[in-house]
Amino acid sequence: MMKQSLSMVGGLALLASTLVGSGCAKRVESDTRPSPESIAQYYPLAVGNAWTYRIDGRDDKPVTVEIVKEQDGYFVDNQGGQLTVDAFGLRDPKRYLLRGPLEAGRGWNNVVSVSSTERYQLVQVGFACKVPAGSFPNCVSVEGRNKVDGQTTLVNTMTFAAGVGLVRVDVATEHEGKRVPQTELELISYKADAAVPAPN
């Protein structure tokens, strides 16, 4: 499941968003303009930056995502993922993964196909989190939800640390109010130089 998801979208941030819904982008909602610099600190985008993750608590098959080039306004990683920070937030070509203002409870929608809308919400802002790569004092947590059918919802929770990037991803299914964990990714090491704004 993990290998297939990485090849479908590329990059761990994109893996997370893919697991909560895929399809062709139609429209990304826009309403307020946060400071791009404040969002950019939560996913430093610069060629050479790299993040290594363990999957489901296993250390034997780590996955490394490294930014290898800039192309068409996006930073492209070795998994084929594409990310940029614009005037509204951190995004891939189909959806916003993190949007401002960074306030708990703030939400936004990404319409990724005619029949699929992903719903995102900032769950926590400014909290401390700990993963194998270390303890980080300034984190934000985003929950993405996408209905699979009338009874099942895919729930993807991403945790970003300021100055570091994506440190944790938890993917679960929710059925009749019960949440069942599916995949867990945790950062074990990283190299994250300061973010470089992509051209708009």
Side-chain angles (χ1 to χ4, degrees), residues 11-74:
L12 271 281
L14 303 183
L15 159 69
S17 59
T18 298
L19 289 172
V20 296
S22 60
C24 297
K26 295 292 181 184
R27 173 177 59 90
V28 178
E29 247 181 37
S30 300
D31 49 1
T32 60
R33 289 180 177 256
S35 163
E37 294 77 21
S38 65
I39 300 292
Q41 70 176 321
Y42 288 96
Y43 208 109
L45 295 172
V47 173
N49 284 359
W51 301 264
T52 300
Y53 300 88
R54 71 179 183 185
I55 305 163
D56 296 330
R58 295 182 56 175
D59 294 315
D60 57 333
K61 293 183 180 179
V63 174
T64 297
V65 176
E66 180 179 1
I67 299 176
V68 294
K69 64 181 176 180
E70 290 180 64
Q71 181 176 318
D72 300 326
Y74 287 89

Side-chain angles (χ1 to χ4, degrees), residues 166-182:
L166 187 65
V167 297
R168 184 180 179 94
V169 178
D170 294 282
V171 179
T173 56
E174 196 172 81
H175 182 76
E176 296 180 350
K178 294 181 181 178
R179 193 172 288 194
V180 179
Q182 300 294 317

Side-chain angles (χ1 to χ4, degrees), residues 36 73 84-87 197-200:
T84 192
V85 175
D86 64 15
N200 287 329

Side-chain angles (χ1 to χ4, degrees), residues 52-126:
T52 300
Y53 300 88
R54 71 179 183 185
I55 305 163
D56 296 330
R58 295 182 56 175
D59 294 315
D60 57 333
K61 293 183 180 179
V63 174
T64 297
V65 176
E66 180 179 1
I67 299 176
V68 294
K69 64 181 176 180
E70 290 180 64
Q71 181 176 318
D72 300 326
Y74 287 89
F75 287 88
V76 181
D77 65 42
N78 62 332
Q79 306 289 339
Q82 301 175 52
L83 290 173
T84 192
V85 175
D86 64 15
F88 298 102
L90 173 71
R91 64 169 295 150
D92 66 23
K94 296 180 181 180
R95 60 185 53 83
Y96 281 98
L97 301 173
L98 186 61
R99 285 191 58 152
L102 297 177
E103 300 168 352
R106 162 127 171 89
W108 64 94
N109 296 331
N110 294 314
V111 180
V112 294
S113 73
V114 175
S115 60
S116 180
T117 299
E118 299 173 353
R119 304 186 190 287
Y120 286 73
Q121 184 173 37
L122 286 162
V123 180
Q124 286 184 281
V125 175

